[in-house]
Amino acid sequence: MSPRPPTASAIEIAAAVNAGQSARVAVEAALARAEADTLNAIIRVHRARALAAADAVDTRIKAGESLPLAGVPIAVKDNVLVRGIEANACSKILKGFVSPYTATAVARLEAAGAIVIASTNMDEFAMGSSNETSVFGPVKNPVDPTRIPGGSSGGSAAAVAAGIVPVALGSDTGGSIRQPAGLCGAVGYKPTYGLVSRYGLIAFGSSLDQIGPITSTVADAALVTSIMGGADAHDATCAPRTHAELAAATASLSPSSALRGLKIGIVPEHAEGLQPGVRARLDAAKTALIAAGAQLVEVRLPHEKAAVAVYYVLATGEASSNLSRFDGVRYGHRTAKPETLGELYAKSRGEGFGREVRRRIMLGTYVLSTGYYDAYYKKAQQVRRLICNDYANAFAQCDLLLGPVSPTTAFKLGEKLSDPLQMYLSDIFTIATNLAGVPAISVPFGADATGLPVGLQLQAPQWADALLLRAAAGLMALSA
């Protein structure tokens, strides 16, 4: 087992640069770590661009600016666009595609002084729970390289947990930020749907996708999200709100002051079927929360048992529609010498998409087809509404929900590749969050008997992100 190397937080790096240290110090160190990566977490290093950006930050600081993320090196998941940088969503079908624009979330971070140093590995088109479906090969868990890091944002989680960067961006459609963060021992935050613009995110499931940060501290996650969030004219699903309060949500709080008086909902079913090590850490968290002054309240999510089925109808239906644009005509992979237009489409997509993506496109096309739409897609939307109602009822009784991120710690590479259903169940505790659009965060809470990290999840009502972050900082402090 490899311990995580010590790395300065984003807040500490920005403070040093604002005080006069050159941004190049942090950036060059991060570039060296990225170039020495042995986990396959980093698929591209952007050295020249990053050093030029560091010099630009130094110029702005000398001119009297104070930048909240001055000189902070960040890594970006391969489905989040940055102008002039290749982005493939780790798929052969987008090989060679260079983005003509920058995602709103990244543009706002760069304006605040952050510097993109690398692109991170991911499951192809964000479809996977283990980061084993990437065209670049699997990512290794930094704690135990024989195990998976989780997915689909496994490269971003591994990069933070290994100390390569203090901040990495991921995308979360059904747990793809929280689950890998939990399995690697990092903080993974999925904001309320609509808090962060999706403009510049290569779409998987548009009603579920959300960009969010993976960090080593809750305070960093809060600061980064406060900068990324807010209305965006390019994204009609992004709410017209400001989120400056998030940055202050974790400031100067002891665990007791962060947690005292909160009602924490416990769903009994979330304690079922857990590995012993995960169960032990969940029980320890409950005991620690009570000692810190929180009150535990039993609540129910009666329709959550249908969440995995609902998700794999809705998400695959949306994926089928979103991925129809990758047809070998406008950009990306094109098959050699097709004889007909139909052959161009079929062969380009068959050659360009991996097995898991093809599986989900076929399932999505089926549930959207004439004769099956009402039976599957419409029915799934109706059950989704019931799940949303369950969350509303639960939050009428409590402030937050506590549970595991994953039923197990990180499993061995290759262990579940031949059994897609078992792989899908890795996200059983995270999927309902996306269906309801509520915010959730994974925080590391110790390890099992073998030293593998255990992540615990807190969920909050829509737009209660500041409360969520405050409680998460308190919970993480209790694990120390």
Side-chain angles (χ1 to χ4, degrees):
M1 303 294 179
S2 305
R4 182 174 67 210
T7 303
S9 71
I11 291 173
E12 291 168 340
I13 292 170
V17 174
N18 279 310
Q21 177 181 287
S22 173
R24 273 188 170 243
V25 173
V27 169
E28 287 183 330
L31 286 168
R33 293 191 295 266
E35 289 165 346
D37 169 45
T38 60
L39 302 170
N40 201 28
I42 304 297
I43 55 174
R44 292 180 211 91
V45 177
H46 313 303
R47 172 171 281 277
R49 186 184 188 278
L51 292 177
D55 292 340
V57 166
D58 285 340
T59 299
R60 293 173 67 187
I61 296 296
K62 289 176 182 177
E65 288 191 63
S66 179
L67 303 174
L69 292 175
V72 175
I74 65 172
V76 176
K77 189 175 178 179
D78 195 38
N79 62 347
V80 180
L81 303 185
V82 181
R83 183 177 180 180
I85 290 177
E86 187 172 350
N88 312 136
C90 287
S91 177
K92 179 181 176 181
I93 205 161
L94 277 178
K95 183 179 180 180
F97 172 72
V98 176
S99 175
Y101 67 95
T102 296
T104 296
V106 176
R108 289 176 176 172
L109 295 180
E110 289 187 317
I115 296 167
V116 177
I117 68 139
S119 301
T120 60
N121 205 342
M122 59 179 281
D123 281 302
E124 184 182 6
F125 280 101
M127 298 182 189
S129 301
S130 63
N131 219 137
E132 295 176 283
T133 68
S134 168
V135 72
F136 296 104
V139 178
K140 301 172 184 177
N141 192 304
V143 178
D144 180 353
T146 68
R147 296 178 181 270
I148 59 102
S152 64
S153 305
S156 289
V160 171
I164 296 172
V165 286
V167 176
L169 294 189
S171 65
D172 194 310
T173 308
S176 290
I177 288 173
R178 292 160 287 149
Q179 186 250 24
L183 297 185
C184 289
V187 173
Y189 170 38
K190 185 207 86 70
T192 296
Y193 181 83
L195 193 155
V196 176
S197 171
R198 293 183 296 110
Y199 180 71
L201 173 66
I202 298 174
F204 168 10
S206 301
S207 74
L208 303 159
D209 296 341
Q210 185 67 97
I211 292 174
I214 298 175
T215 60
S216 57
T217 71
V218 177
D220 278 357
L223 175 61
V224 166
T225 307
S226 73
I227 293 167
M228 290 192 295
D232 181 14
H234 296 296
D235 180 3
T237 66
C238 195
R241 292 168 171 252
T242 57
H243 303 287
E245 78 284 357
L246 298 184
T250 63
S252 304
L253 289 175
S254 65
S256 59
S257 61
L259 298 164
R260 185 182 296 114
L262 289 180
K263 290 184 177 181
I264 309 294
I266 304 296
V267 181
E269 290 78 11
H270 287 180
E272 297 174 359
L274 302 181
Q275 270 187 355
V278 177
R279 177 64 183 266
R281 297 313 300 156
L282 179 60
D283 289 343
K286 293 176 183 178
T287 301
L289 285 167
I290 293 171
Q295 178 185 353
L296 301 189
V297 180
E298 187 174 298
V299 298
R300 298 283 177 174
L301 297 174
H303 297 95
E304 188 186 36
K305 60 182 179 293
V308 172
V310 169
Y311 174 84
Y312 280 100
V313 171
L314 299 182
T316 58
E318 293 183 17
S320 172
S321 176
N322 280 323
L323 271 60
S324 65
R325 72 194 72 181
F326 305 116
D327 53 12
V329 175
R330 287 160 288 187
Y331 40 71
H333 173 74
R334 177 184 291 205
T335 192
K337 299 180 180 179
E339 295 184 1
T340 65
L341 182 62
E343 188 174 287
L344 168 65
Y345 292 156
K347 287 191 173 181
S348 295
R349 289 166 65 80
E351 294 165 3
F353 288 130
R355 180 188 298 270
E356 181 61 29
V357 177
R358 295 198 304 269
R359 178 186 290 120
R360 298 197 192 193
I361 289 174
M362 292 175 67
L363 178 58
T365 302
Y366 177 80
V367 301
L368 293 177
S369 62
T370 302
Y372 296 100
Y373 178 91
D374 285 347
Y376 293 102
Y377 193 81
K378 181 179 178 181
K379 183 63 68 177
Q381 289 286 27
Q382 292 169 333
V383 180
R384 182 182 193 174
R385 170 44 55 193
L386 296 176
I387 291 171
C388 292
N389 292 343
D390 288 346
Y391 270 96
N393 293 334
F395 287 129
Q397 304 169 61
C398 64
D399 300 303
L400 301 162
L401 296 175
L402 170 72
V405 174
S406 177
T408 70
T409 51
F411 47 86
K412 293 284 187 177
L413 287 162
E415 183 178 324
K416 297 186 179 181
L417 270 180
S418 61
D419 191 344
L421 292 179
Q422 283 300 311
M423 186 75 78
Y424 295 167
L425 290 175
S426 298
D427 300 326
I428 193 169
F429 298 124
T430 56
I431 278 174
T433 311
N434 298 74
L435 293 171
V438 301
I441 190 167
S442 166
V443 297
F445 202 83
D448 68 6
T450 67
L452 292 173
V454 174
L456 297 183
Q457 177 176 236
L458 286 171
Q459 301 176 78
Q462 287 184 333
W463 308 112
D465 293 75
L467 172 64
L468 176 71
L469 291 163
R470 188 188 87 187
L475 178 62
M476 189 168 172
L478 292 176
S479 71

